[in-house]
Amino acid sequence: MARNRNDNRYSGRKKKSPMRVIFGWVMFIGVFLMLLFVLVPLVGATMKVTDGAMGPTLGIGDTVAVNHIAYALFRPKRGDIVQFSVSEDSHAAAAQAGTVYIRRVIALPGETIQIMDGTVYINGYPLKEEYASGATAYGGIVASQLTLNNDEYFVMADNRSNNFDSRDSTVGPILRDDILGKVWLRVLPLDKFGRLK
């Protein structure tokens, strides 16, 4: 007797028990966390955000993963979030030398940057910045045009009311050698886990 096509009494696949599904998810999460906390230190490190300079992209208390080998192969790009230190031979005050910061790359080597009427201009063209919050009222050293050297990058905080970035004469443009790595992943809190843009 031919089986009715609409007869649902038989299925080619067995249904998984709820315990097997839960066990599968627990195993997946366990392996994922193990890989995360084993592999991340191999290519970089984690860092806890201690100020609101990168808000709303990053909040105080967020933990991020920093890839320390990313720029061994590639140069930093505009829009990258980077970890850098202020070197002793830069413009920094002695108290800031060696301190590590997280900021976003805004201008690249050889480019001309200026902040005018609250807008960032790169080579005379306004820069679209969907990540920025607050008014860019402070122009600092780029209130007039500044052309970067071949090994300099201009970095800024996403929260533009926090002006401790390349606009400040005690930081200024940062050198390629001062960039420690690319901040690419938010690890904690888990409900905000994900790749950073």
Side-chain angles (χ1 to χ4, degrees):
M1 177 176 154
R3 186 180 296 277
N4 185 331
R5 191 174 286 186
N6 296 324
D7 189 349
N8 292 326
R9 287 177 294 176
Y10 174 79
S11 173
R13 291 190 304 183
K14 291 182 180 179
K15 287 187 176 179
K16 290 184 179 178
S17 72
M19 288 304 292
R20 282 187 68 157
V21 172
I22 291 170
F23 179 75
W25 275 107
V26 168
M27 287 297 294
F28 172 78
I29 292 169
V31 169
F32 175 78
L33 289 174
M34 184 180 73
L35 288 173
L36 182 67
F37 290 104
V38 170
L39 291 180
V40 165
L42 292 178
V43 296
T46 57
M47 178 180 177
K48 195 165 191 172
V49 177
T50 57
D51 63 34
M54 289 302 293
T57 307
L58 295 172
I60 297 173
D62 287 1
T63 299
V64 294
V66 183
N67 184 338
H68 286 168
I69 64 171
Y71 299 130
L73 302 173
F74 306 101
R75 291 182 174 196
K77 300 190 304 278
R78 187 183 343 276
D80 283 1
I81 301 173
V82 297
Q83 179 193 55
F84 68 97
S85 64
V86 179
S87 64
E88 292 180 23
D89 59 347
S90 72
H91 325 276
Q96 292 147 357
T99 306
V100 174
Y101 299 96
I102 295 175
R103 299 292 185 267
R104 191 181 296 270
V105 175
I106 301 299
L108 305 173
E111 293 184 332
T112 299
I113 181 170
Q114 182 177 14
I115 295 176
M116 189 168 49
D117 299 326
T119 301
V120 177
Y121 290 85
I122 305 292
N123 296 333
Y125 294 95
L127 181 64
K128 284 188 176 180
E129 299 185 284
E130 297 171 357
Y131 43 77
S133 68
T136 312
Y138 176 69
I141 66 170
V142 290
S144 55
Q145 290 187 351
L146 173 71
T147 301
L148 300 174
N149 292 327
N150 290 333
D151 62 343
E152 290 181 332
Y153 292 82
F154 199 91
V155 296
M156 291 175 67
D158 282 3
N159 176 0
R160 293 299 161 78
S161 62
N162 183 316
N163 53 36
F164 189 75
D165 52 31
S166 289
R167 293 173 286 173
D168 192 305
S169 62
T170 64
V171 179
I174 61 170
L175 303 175
R176 170 66 187 86
D177 289 344
D178 293 333
I179 297 177
L180 305 174
K182 180 176 182 177
V183 180
W184 66 283
L185 182 74
R186 185 189 347 248
V187 178
L188 296 171
L190 285 176
D191 62 333
K192 293 183 178 178
F193 177 90
R195 193 178 178 96
L196 295 167
K197 293 180 183 178

